[in-house]
Each structure stands twice: as structure tokens, then as C-alpha cells.
Amino acid sequence: MTILVTGARGNIGGRVIAKLAEGGHRVRGSARDAAAVRPPSGAVAVELDITRPHNAKEALRDVDAVFLYPTRGDAGAFLTAAREAGVRHVVLLSSPAAYEAGEYDRPIGLVHRAAERSLEESGLRHTVVYPSWLATNAFRDWGERIRARESVGIAYPDAQVSPIHLDDVAEVAAELLTRDTHRGRMHVLTGPESLRLRDVAGILGDVLGTPIPVEELTREQALARRAPWMPEPVLEVLLDVAAAAVGVPAPLTNTVERITGHPGRTFGEWAHADRARFEAG
């Protein structure tokens, strides 16, 4: 069995490759620039753009299953090539934004719904996974200020999320790619606890041994501080989602445990494992 993992340079794709390689499976990790991929022992890197799959035939040679990382653009030609190559199952990484109120008909949700629709129309057997708020969002959003020992600015700090450890997402994906026991239409993956965003910052402070002050931002302040890489329409959606989550427990599922056999890891476990990323330089 050979498994193709697209988005190999990403945090999740890289972990999926590592889990599969650890299990002794033949793995190909694809990216638009294969030279930038650093696959683990037992895996190989291949060049592939799923929106312009001119070399899809070679990338899909002898591939039994595909981990599909969503991307903007039409993946229809790639999925057609996958069906013609004899791929038996596809695991698509999606987002709760594809179905949640206030998100499914806005920028983030529309991208993921388009990817799901393209896969459905391909005729390929598939399972869609929907991970909750990724634990790594804490580093993405606050890492620079925490490393500088500054306060973190959060709009709606009492919004609740259920942070999921990326290793849990990768383990679920690896199970679905290699075994048919849990292959269904969809799986919603969450962490084991509902936390306010200010509690997430508090856990990081406990792990680092120093309090992390939280500055509550107004919506206008959050928009004014928008990072250059964050499109304003996307931030608008995220702020609306956070506002709606104030005082509302985040959804929790036991899907990680059902599929992997162990409880989902807590945010604290992730913070301890990745604490070096937050250490002052």
C-alpha cells in the first residue's frame, strides 16, 4: 500500500506523513516545491500542485489512499486522475466552518464546502474530518508577543474553544487512511475540554512559569491590529464566531478516542510539548 499525503509542508500534513512512516507504510508527501519537503525515513517527496496536476499520474502511481489538504482552486482534474489511478479512499481535511452557523456561507466555509463538493462529485470513496480549534493557533496568534514577554490582545477572550492537538488529528487521519474500520462520511474531531481563550493563555503561562497578561480588544482594535497575512474578510468571520462563542461551551466529541484508542490530548499537553516555541529568544 502506498499513501499520498498532499500539503506535506503543513503542520498537519507533515505529522500525517510521520505517523504513516512510523507504522511502516510507504508514503509520498507532495508539495508544489518538493525540494522544500523534509520527509522522514521511509517517505519520499514528490512535486504536485493539485490545482494544476500535470504530473499527477506519476505522483499517484500505485497509490491506494490519499490525504487531501484543502486548497483554493479547482482540484477536479486531480481527483479524476486519482479515480483513474485506482485510489480506493480519500481522507479530506475540512473545517467546522463548512457547516457552522455564521461560517458556512462566508469565505472560510465556502472554500471548504467547494473542496467537499468537488470530492463528492469525483465519485471517489472518502471520509471528511473536521478538527476543532487547533492548539497551534495559540502560537500563530500570540507566539510573537509571548516570546517578547508582552501581553496578548484578544477580542472576546471569554469565547470558548475546544483545542485539539495536531498529533490527534494526524493519528485519526492515519487510521482512516490505512484501515476501513471507521471510514464513514464524516468525523468531527475535538479536544477533550472547552476552554475560554483567556484560559488557554493562562495554561500557557502556567507551562512557561510566567503569567501572560490578556488585553481585551474591541472589535475595532482587533481589526486595526490585523496581521498582514490575515485577509480582513476572514478576520471579520473569526471575530463573529468568537463573539457568538462567548459564554457558550464548545462542542466536544469522543471521536479521537473511538478511532485511536486513547483520549484526546489536552491543550496543556500540547503546551508542554511545544513550550520551546514560546521561549524568549
Side-chain angles (χ1 to χ4, degrees), residues 49-272:
D49 180 347
I50 64 172
T51 65
R52 297 180 179 178
H54 60 87
N55 56 344
K57 185 174 181 180
E58 179 59 25
L60 288 163
R61 180 174 47 82
D62 299 325
V63 166
D64 184 76
V66 173
F67 178 78
L68 187 61
Y69 190 88
T71 185
R72 292 181 182 274
D74 184 8
F78 169 74
L79 294 171
T80 296
R83 188 182 65 247
E84 293 174 349
V87 169
R88 296 196 305 118
H89 201 80
V90 176
V91 175
L92 172 65
L93 179 71
S94 190
S95 163
Y99 60 77
E100 287 283 13
E103 296 184 82
Y104 75 92
D105 57 351
R106 299 178 70 184
I108 305 171
L110 291 173
V111 168
H112 288 284
R113 286 173 60 198
E116 292 180 28
R117 184 167 55 250
S118 183
L119 183 54
E120 183 73 31
E121 292 172 351
S122 74
L124 288 161
R125 291 183 178 274
H126 61 275
T127 302
V128 183
V129 293
Y130 301 93
S132 60
W133 196 86
L134 302 177
T136 48
N137 288 351
F139 182 78
R140 180 198 68 186
D141 296 342
W142 311 329
E144 184 176 343
R145 294 188 67 84
I146 291 175
R147 284 170 59 86
R149 294 297 183 258
E150 297 174 349
S151 64
V152 296
I154 307 175
Y156 312 109
D158 292 315
Q160 297 194 41
V161 295
S162 52
I164 188 166
H165 197 300
L166 266 64
D167 282 348
D168 286 338
V169 179
E171 286 185 27
V172 167
E175 282 287 320
L176 294 170
L177 289 163
T178 58
R179 301 174 61 193
D180 60 10
T181 307
H182 296 285
R183 287 177 177 173
R185 180 174 176 271
M186 58 180 283
H187 287 298
V188 177
L189 314 178
T190 75
E193 54 196 345
S194 179
L195 299 170
R196 298 177 303 168
L197 289 173
R198 68 168 74 247
D199 297 329
V200 173
I203 292 170
L204 277 172
D206 290 343
V207 169
L208 294 171
T210 182
I212 297 175
V214 172
E215 176 190 0
E216 183 167 358
L217 305 180
T218 66
R219 184 186 185 90
E220 291 71 26
Q221 288 173 324
L223 288 168
R225 296 187 188 183
R226 176 177 61 87
W229 52 264
M230 173 71 73
E232 186 169 346
V234 172
L235 181 56
E236 290 273 10
V237 174
L238 296 178
L239 290 170
D240 288 345
V241 170
V246 172
V248 180
L252 300 177
T253 72
N254 66 347
T255 307
V256 169
E257 184 169 10
R258 286 194 301 108
I259 294 178
T260 68
H262 66 75
R265 297 170 175 89
T266 65
F267 179 78
E269 289 177 275
W270 174 83
H272 277 286

